Amino acid sequence: MSGATPGTATREAARPDGTLHAGLLGHSAEGAALCFRAFCQEGFAELGEHDHPDVTLDLIPLSRSMPAWDAGDHAAVRAALAASAARLARAGADFFVCPDNTAHLALGLPGPALALPGLHLPDLVAERAAAGGRRRIGVLGTRFTMDGPLYREAFARRGMAAERPEPRDRETVHRIIFEELLNGRFTGEARRAFAEVIDRLAGRGCDAVALVCTEIPLLVGQEESSLPLLDSTRIAARAAFEVAVGRRPLPRWRGGPPQQAG
């Protein structure tokens, strides 16, 4: 089975350029907006001025999911994300990408199939890391992502190692994300703190660092980093663009264990 939703072929035929309609399943506002913009910029660069494949962004306020995150109730988060996927399907999207890494902890739970097939972000980042010949990658994201299995497993499937910052650095990164970045605050002090964390990861033998919180690329660019960056937000946007223009197969994953992604 291709994993395509009923009616996909009809929607494709309705677009004269043959592109697919991408759905962006947002979870936090700043990062979702960055992914949306990056997706459109891929189109401007390759398809021409003002041009990009059809794209719809759906975003349920993060405030509705935070109590469940704090309680460790990932099933409740999955239900909220599934509602977003269903709305994207009703809007005509053919597939989705969720640029929020932490959300994949919930999306990866067993449960009813999501309304659309989706790209699995940790596997996209691991794919890019492997293509660059990386072997040991530092992981910067929320506490849930840094301490969870997402990147340890995704990198291990390709023979690479994930390296977490030290506990104090993990606390700093998590605090800055939730107290500042999610609220649209990007300060020089926070930028310097991230640069120092990256330096310490480099000192422990990392050959790249994965920015696997949607908002971190708004704070940290290559000029602030002593290691090559894997920007998960823009990796997500690029992969979605490739699916929409037919350069990457329509995904089959509809939530559940990432081994089902494809």
Side-chain angles (χ1 to χ4, degrees):
M1 293 179 62
S2 67
T5 56
T8 295
T10 301
R11 291 199 297 272
E12 284 185 59
R15 285 187 286 278
D17 61 1
T19 59
L20 299 180
H21 182 161
L24 299 186
L25 200 170
H27 196 45
S28 57
E30 292 286 342
L34 174 60
C35 190
F36 184 92
R37 184 167 178 258
F39 176 88
C40 294
Q41 288 173 334
E42 293 285 349
F44 302 156
E46 294 201 26
L47 304 180
E49 188 177 15
H50 309 308
D51 200 5
H52 56 76
D54 291 354
V55 57
T56 297
L57 167 63
D58 191 81
L59 180 64
I60 293 173
L62 183 60
S63 62
R64 299 184 196 171
S65 296
M66 279 312 303
W69 280 119
D70 291 338
D73 185 0
H74 293 177
V77 178
R78 190 189 197 278
L81 296 169
S84 264
R87 297 197 312 203
L88 288 170
R90 290 196 296 271
D94 295 297
F95 69 97
F96 79 89
V97 67
C98 178
D100 190 290
N101 290 270
T102 303
H104 284 71
L105 289 167
L107 291 170
L109 291 178
L114 300 173
L116 287 172
L119 292 159
H120 188 262
L121 183 53
D123 279 342
L124 295 176
V125 176
E127 175 187 289
R128 179 72 64 86
R134 308 302 175 191
R135 303 299 301 168
R136 191 176 190 84
I137 302 107
V139 175
L140 297 184
T142 67
R143 169 173 50 82
F144 310 111
T145 299
M146 290 185 289
D147 291 347
L150 287 173
Y151 279 92
R152 183 177 68 250
E153 293 177 355
F155 289 152
R157 286 194 289 273
R158 291 164 176 79
M160 300 176 293
E163 187 76 25
R164 296 184 299 168
E166 296 296 336
R168 184 174 179 179
D169 284 344
R170 294 203 298 274
E171 178 57 35
T172 296
V173 168
H174 182 83
R175 177 186 57 77
I176 291 173
I177 289 170
F178 276 90
E179 293 182 4
E180 300 183 26
L181 306 190
L182 290 176
N183 295 303
R185 291 179 55 214
F186 306 95
T187 67
E189 182 180 358
R191 194 168 288 112
R192 288 188 292 274
F194 268 76
E196 290 169 2
V197 172
I198 293 170
D199 286 346
R200 285 190 279 275
L201 288 168
R204 288 162 54 190
C206 291
D207 56 11
V209 61
L211 307 184
V212 293
C213 165
T214 333
E215 284 75 24
I216 296 177
L218 290 164
L219 180 74
V220 177
Q222 191 59 65
E223 61 274 16
E224 285 87 33
S225 176
S226 55
L227 288 172
L229 298 181
L230 293 162
D231 176 345
S232 68
T233 308
R234 291 183 172 88
I235 289 171
R238 178 63 193 179
F241 175 79
E242 290 174 348
V243 172
V245 298
R247 295 181 197 159
R248 181 185 286 265
L250 189 71
R252 295 174 294 169
W253 180 62
R254 289 176 178 266
Q259 291 82 356
Q260 299 172 8

